[in-house]
Amino acid sequence: MSYLIYDPDTPNKKVYQLKLGVNTIGREDDNTIVILHGYLSRHHAEIILTPDSATLKDLQSLNGTFVNECKIEKCQLQDGDLIRFGSVFFKFVKTIPSPRQKSFNEDTSNLSILRQVAPEQTRVRMRDLLQPDKAEHSVLKLRNQDVQQRAVSKLQILLEVSKQLSSPEKPDRLMQKILDLLFEIMQVDRATILMVDEKTGQLEQKAVKLQFESPENTHFYSKHITNFVRTQGNAILTDDARIDTLFNDSVSILKQGIHAAMCVPLKPRDSVIGVLYVDNLSLTDIYSDEDLEFLTCLANQAAIAIENSRLYTKMQAEAVMRDKLERFFPRTVSRKLREEGNLEIVDTEVTALFADISNFTKMSSQMEPRQIIEMLNEYFQVMVEEIVFPYEGTLEKYIGDALLAVWGAPYRKPNDVDLAVRAAIDMQWAVRRLNQVWVQRKRRPIQIHIGLNTGKVAAGNIGSAKLIQYATIGDTTNVTSRICNLAKPNEILIAQSTLEQLNDRTIPVEKMPPMRVKGKSQPLDLYRVLWYKIPRENGMIIHPNSP
């Protein structure tokens, strides 16, 4: 079997096993290997794997596919080939050495190895420690009756339980697994797990298991006992709950005919998150102190596993919510929402960038509506996902075929102006690359014109609390739009205010004659950025002063 190693020889290394047939690589979820990186196309490349060969093919990607730093359209892969998709590196290998094989390949001359043990050899099969029927004076199904050996066996069982509960599972499935393990280890008639509901604060049954099925009576537990354990936080054992003076006013105990019962808290840290309850209907005086002690230890393992499962589920939900936020809001805005919960209006300074497709009205009149949408979607994907966001900008809005992005809100950085200007330069280069791909697909090439301006704005949530629209309001953004309109196809124009704060003086600019714009009594001092004179590599512009 063959593999792709993402970011090889780094701590971020990740191994992907290739399947026989077609393996696609790109940003979209329908790829075999999904890498969310701005310099990968949605469907960047594919590897066709057969028992005898591996063929890499570029899928007309924007940033290209390289093997051992040679750009390719299609080639046969060899073991150890270094592959680059844009600026994302992979290594193609035919085998992955196991850790044990690797250790023998490394220099071990300075090691004094007395013995090597594989982790699998330390696993304990619980059935080897248990017997079908319980031992005398205990419901623990331990084979050995020697006190010391029983202690060792209990520790081995708890260790194995911990291993079996360590893998992330949904809470409901995990709790049922806990009860299955409990019935395997202890001889009990009924067991249930109740969890504290975060909204009501009451115990609610989440899992149940019966030795003898009785679906009509699954709420068999005593609420008096479970609430007592939840409140006190201590495990209890009762030989016959019907005559226990502590519970003599509990109707459920008498009604259920509960004899022996044990109830232990699920307490991963300081607070009780639930209880584990077991009982027996036919016998009294069957549970021992040893049983209660073991059940408490088991409950501790279960509580940690349940808490971890809840945290894992919460992390998954937050990841989904974060993805949804970033689909509707710019990444910086969604980050601000997660940190503060709202978007207060603040006075700040930004560098605004307007980018517009030249002669779009005329071009779109000659295209079908679906073609226009497909073209704009691909264009904006490149402009925003591959340029604005990597250059740490905030996308404010799309306006037809134009986009407005800002640097400096909701977060300000010392090099905002430099990042904005570099983003504009990279946009022009990206359009050139995009046109090369579109011409091959028989699509119309485009040209864009860009304007930048720096100044004061009010930034924040414009609209209502339920419908958030992050925006920057002020003369700065209005003037930026006017500057963009003055720019010709393939041009970038920047205002005097932007040039004054530009730290990177290696960017070549050319002063323009003063120009008048609507709404301004005085003409503007503007500069044309000679972006085509700036060297590029791997899709990003190169500057001596780049951070």
Side-chain angles (χ1 to χ4, degrees):
M1 192 58 68
S2 299
Y3 303 84
L4 273 187
I5 304 177
Y6 168 75
D7 224 1
D9 303 321
T10 74
N12 299 322
K13 178 179 70 175
K14 189 172 183 180
V15 178
Y16 295 92
Q17 182 174 326
L18 298 173
K19 63 180 183 179
L20 290 175
V22 178
N23 301 264
T24 57
I25 302 100
R27 292 197 317 265
E28 287 292 322
D29 292 339
D30 58 355
N31 286 288
T32 311
I33 298 175
V34 179
I35 303 293
L36 299 177
H37 193 287
Y39 285 90
L40 256 73
S41 297
R42 288 177 294 175
H43 298 91
H44 197 105
E46 67 180 20
I47 296 176
I48 302 173
L49 189 67
T50 69
D52 302 319
S53 66
T55 304
L56 174 63
K57 180 182 178 182
D58 183 78
L59 299 178
Q60 295 184 321
S61 64
L62 188 61
N63 292 313
T65 298
F66 302 79
V67 175
N68 300 324
E69 291 308 310
C70 294
K71 189 172 184 179
I72 61 99
E73 297 295 331
K74 185 176 180 180
C75 79
Q76 295 290 318
L77 291 175
Q78 304 298 323
D79 189 26
D81 279 348
L82 189 65
I83 303 171
R84 176 163 63 85
F85 302 121
S87 60
V88 182
F89 286 87
F90 285 86
K91 188 176 184 179
F92 174 78
V93 295
K94 292 186 177 179
T95 57
I96 298 289
S98 67
R100 294 182 69 188
Q101 290 173 326
K102 184 177 180 181
S103 66
F104 284 108
N105 293 332
E106 295 173 349
D107 182 14
T108 59
S109 58
N110 295 326
L111 297 179
S112 177
I113 300 175
L114 300 179
R115 184 185 179 192
Q116 296 188 61
V117 178
E120 292 78 13
Q121 296 175 357
T122 66
R123 295 293 296 265
V124 174
R125 292 191 305 174
M126 286 196 294
R127 64 172 177 262
D128 294 338
L129 302 173
L130 302 172
Q131 61 182 11
D133 298 323
K134 72 177 183 70
E136 188 178 356
H137 304 305
S138 174
V139 293
L140 278 171
K141 302 177 182 179
L142 293 179
R143 290 184 180 278
N144 201 296
Q145 299 303 306
D146 178 78
V147 175
Q148 291 184 345
Q149 187 58 45
R150 284 175 69 85
V152 172
S153 297
K154 284 186 287 185
L155 287 175
Q156 290 176 315
I157 289 173
L158 288 172
L159 178 61
E160 186 60 26
V161 167
S162 176
K163 291 178 181 178
Q164 294 196 31
L165 299 182
S166 62
S167 59
E169 293 189 61
K170 292 183 178 180
D172 292 345
R173 187 180 302 173
L174 175 66
M175 285 185 261
Q176 199 62 52
K177 186 175 183 179
I178 291 167
L179 295 185
D180 290 341
L181 287 169
L182 171 64
F183 269 64
E184 184 180 352
I185 299 166
M186 305 181 78
Q187 186 172 320
V188 296
D189 286 346
R190 307 182 300 188
T192 184
I193 293 176
L194 299 97
M195 303 300 297
V196 178
D197 185 87
E198 293 182 357
K199 294 181 179 179
T200 65
Q202 302 298 314
L203 285 172
E204 292 189 359
Q205 189 178 54
K206 295 298 183 181
V208 63
K209 189 175 179 66
L210 308 174
Q211 186 70 38
F212 307 102
E213 293 297 330
S214 178
E216 69 280 358
N217 187 19
T218 57
H219 287 72
F220 53 82
Y221 57 89
S222 164
K223 291 184 179 179
H224 202 109
I225 291 177
T226 55
N227 286 330
F228 178 85
V229 171
R230 183 264 174 104
T231 304
Q232 298 297 319
N234 295 321
I236 66 168
L237 179 157
T238 174
D239 290 337
D240 193 339
R242 297 174 303 165
I243 61 174
D244 195 320
T245 57
L246 184 61
F247 307 117
N248 59 13
D249 61 343
S250 176
V251 175
S252 63
I253 290 175
L254 298 175
K255 185 177 178 180
Q256 296 288 346
I258 297 171
H259 288 254
M262 290 189 293
C263 188
V264 297
L266 297 171
K267 192 176 179 181
R269 294 183 181 84
D270 297 329
S271 59
V272 176
I273 63 172
V275 299
L276 171 59
Y277 173 93
V278 302
D279 70 9
N280 181 280
L281 291 175
S282 57
L283 299 173
T284 62
D285 193 25
I286 62 167
Y287 298 139
S288 66
D289 291 343
E290 180 188 30
D291 297 330
L292 184 64
E293 179 184 339
F294 183 86
L295 188 64
T296 303
C297 293
L298 180 64
N300 289 338
Q301 299 284 357
I304 293 171
I306 292 171
E307 185 76 353
N308 289 342
S309 176
R310 283 178 160 185
L311 290 173
Y312 181 74
T313 303
K314 185 177 180 181
M315 288 171 60
Q316 287 182 313
E318 288 179 351
V320 171
M321 179 58 67
R322 183 167 58 251
D323 180 67
K324 289 181 178 179
L325 276 174
E326 291 180 355
R327 285 176 183 267
F328 288 96
F329 304 112
R331 294 175 183 175
T332 50
V333 176
S334 63
R335 173 186 163 194
K336 195 75 170 179
L337 282 169
R338 294 194 305 271
E339 290 176 351
E340 301 182 6
N342 58 12
L343 295 169
E344 298 291 340
I345 296 176
V346 295
D347 294 320
T348 187
E349 184 177 80
V350 301
T351 296
L353 179 154
F354 257 100
D356 204 355
I357 299 177
S358 304
N359 303 315
F360 180 76
T361 303
K362 179 181 179 181
M363 182 178 65
S364 61
S365 67
Q366 302 170 359
M367 300 171 63
E368 294 294 328
R370 179 177 290 276
Q371 291 177 320
I372 298 172
I373 292 175
E374 289 176 352
M375 183 267 287
L376 286 177
N377 282 343
E378 190 165 356
Y379 164 74
F380 283 134
Q381 174 76 32
V382 174
M383 295 297 106
V384 176
E385 295 289 339
E386 300 182 10
I387 298 176
V388 173
F389 289 163
Y391 279 103
E392 303 180 70
T394 297
L395 173 68
E396 185 170 318
K397 65 185 73 172
Y398 298 114
I399 311 169
D401 61 304
L403 68 85
L404 169 61
V406 296
W407 280 257
Y411 300 96
R412 290 191 65 183
K413 297 176 292 298
N415 60 338
D416 279 330
V417 173
D418 289 62
L419 290 170
V421 174
R422 294 174 192 174
I425 296 170
D426 217 4
M427 285 179 178
Q428 291 289 6
W429 281 112
V431 168
R432 282 196 175 184
R433 301 195 310 275
L434 199 57
N435 283 336
Q436 292 174 358
V437 175
W438 283 355
V439 167
Q440 293 177 359
R441 300 179 189 171
K442 310 300 182 185
R443 286 189 182 181
R444 297 170 181 268
I446 63 171
Q447 295 175 310
I448 64 172
H449 49 282
I450 303 172
L452 293 97
N453 185 30
T454 303
K456 298 291 184 181
V457 296
N461 179 28
I462 309 300
S464 66
K466 292 185 178 180
L467 182 59
I468 297 174
Q469 174 63 60
Y470 188 79
T472 55
I473 303 297
D475 186 57
T476 297
T477 50
N478 295 333
V479 172
T480 309
S481 176
R482 304 284 188 264
I483 295 173
C484 180
N485 291 337
L486 291 174
K488 297 176 182 179
N490 293 330
E491 276 192 347
I492 301 172
L493 295 183
I494 64 173
Q496 177 75 34
S497 58
T498 303
L499 180 66
E500 289 174 352
Q501 297 193 42
L502 184 64
N503 295 316
D504 189 353
R505 293 300 177 176
T506 65
I507 297 178
V509 297
E510 179 180 73
K511 187 170 177 34
M512 306 288 291
M515 296 184 179
R516 292 190 176 274
V517 297
K518 183 180 177 180
K520 286 294 183 180
S521 59
Q522 298 296 322
L524 299 179
D525 290 328
L526 301 178
Y527 297 82
R528 180 190 292 120
V529 178
L530 307 179
W531 57 271
Y532 46 85
K533 293 186 177 182
I534 297 174
R536 305 179 67 260
E537 183 177 311
N538 298 342
M540 299 286 283
I541 60 174
I542 302 301
H543 289 275
N545 300 327
S546 295

